[in-house]
Amino acid sequence: MESDSSDNYGYEYLDHPADIQIHSWGLTLKQAFEQQAIGMFGIMTDLNTIENLQEEVIEAEGHDLVSLLYKFLDECLFAFSVEPFLCAFDVNITEFDEENFVIKAVLKGETFDLSKHPQGTEVKAITFSNMQINKESAHWECYVIFDI
């Protein structure tokens, strides 16, 4: 497990032939989505080097849970890809409407700086390929493949 959280929520990187797949989980769907986003930022740099110096609010809408997860992660990637190039170590979904498929979240972190943050692997895109959201007996799981 890559995350330093309890067994109740977290994420891990899974082997994939050409890309990177993240498996995330949480007691709630909200936690599983948050862990997926944190895992994505962890592909791009060492999250232990990120300080809580700025926050950015993002919003995403979908037409079902899978499209909502895709759009949410795409908004997180967009925050990293445009100025001020926010790299987040913490993602907190503040509004999660599972019926209308709307998310509002706060990303906490700082501007990515090569002199401070090690360069990881560039995430080019989130893919729908094999994207899964599963409700298990006591928790939720998400699987997402990232194009690198």
Side-chain angles (χ1 to χ4, degrees):
M1 178 170 59
E2 295 293 328
S3 60
D4 59 357
S5 56
S6 69
D7 288 337
N8 291 331
Y9 59 92
Y11 65 90
E12 64 185 347
Y13 300 108
L14 302 177
D15 288 334
H16 191 273
D19 297 314
I20 294 177
Q21 183 176 32
I22 297 178
H23 164 226
S24 66
W25 60 92
L27 292 176
T28 64
L29 186 56
K30 174 182 166 295
Q31 286 179 329
F33 274 40
E34 290 168 341
Q35 291 300 306
Q36 194 65 229
I38 293 167
M40 181 188 70
F41 284 110
I43 293 170
M44 299 183 281
T45 194
D46 178 358
L47 298 182
N48 293 319
T49 65
I50 306 294
E51 294 182 67
N52 188 8
L53 300 178
Q54 67 192 71
E55 293 184 357
E56 185 168 333
V57 175
I58 62 162
E59 295 182 35
E61 286 184 46
H63 60 271
D64 60 15
L65 286 176
V66 170
S67 68
L68 181 60
L69 177 57
Y70 175 90
K71 297 268 180 122
F72 168 63
L73 293 172
D74 195 47
E75 287 296 322
C76 290
L77 182 58
F78 184 77
F80 182 85
S81 301
V82 299
E83 285 197 50
F85 310 111
L86 178 70
C87 193
F89 72 94
D90 184 46
V91 176
N92 181 23
I93 295 174
T94 56
E95 295 177 30
F96 195 153
D97 185 337
E98 294 179 41
E99 292 180 16
N100 295 306
F101 310 112
V102 176
I103 283 179
K104 184 181 275 189
V106 177
L107 309 179
K108 296 179 182 179
E110 66 179 308
T111 299
F112 183 77
D113 178 354
L114 272 175
S115 67
K116 179 179 180 183
H117 309 113
Q119 186 169 359
T121 302
E122 177 187 3
V123 173
K124 295 179 186 170
I126 293 89
T127 72
F128 275 111
S129 174
N130 232 3
M131 187 179 286
Q132 298 175 42
I133 299 172
N134 303 314
K135 171 73 168 116
E136 301 300 327
S137 59
H139 64 281
W140 287 87
E141 295 185 9
C142 298
Y143 293 85
V144 177
I145 295 174
F146 295 85
D147 181 19
I148 57 170

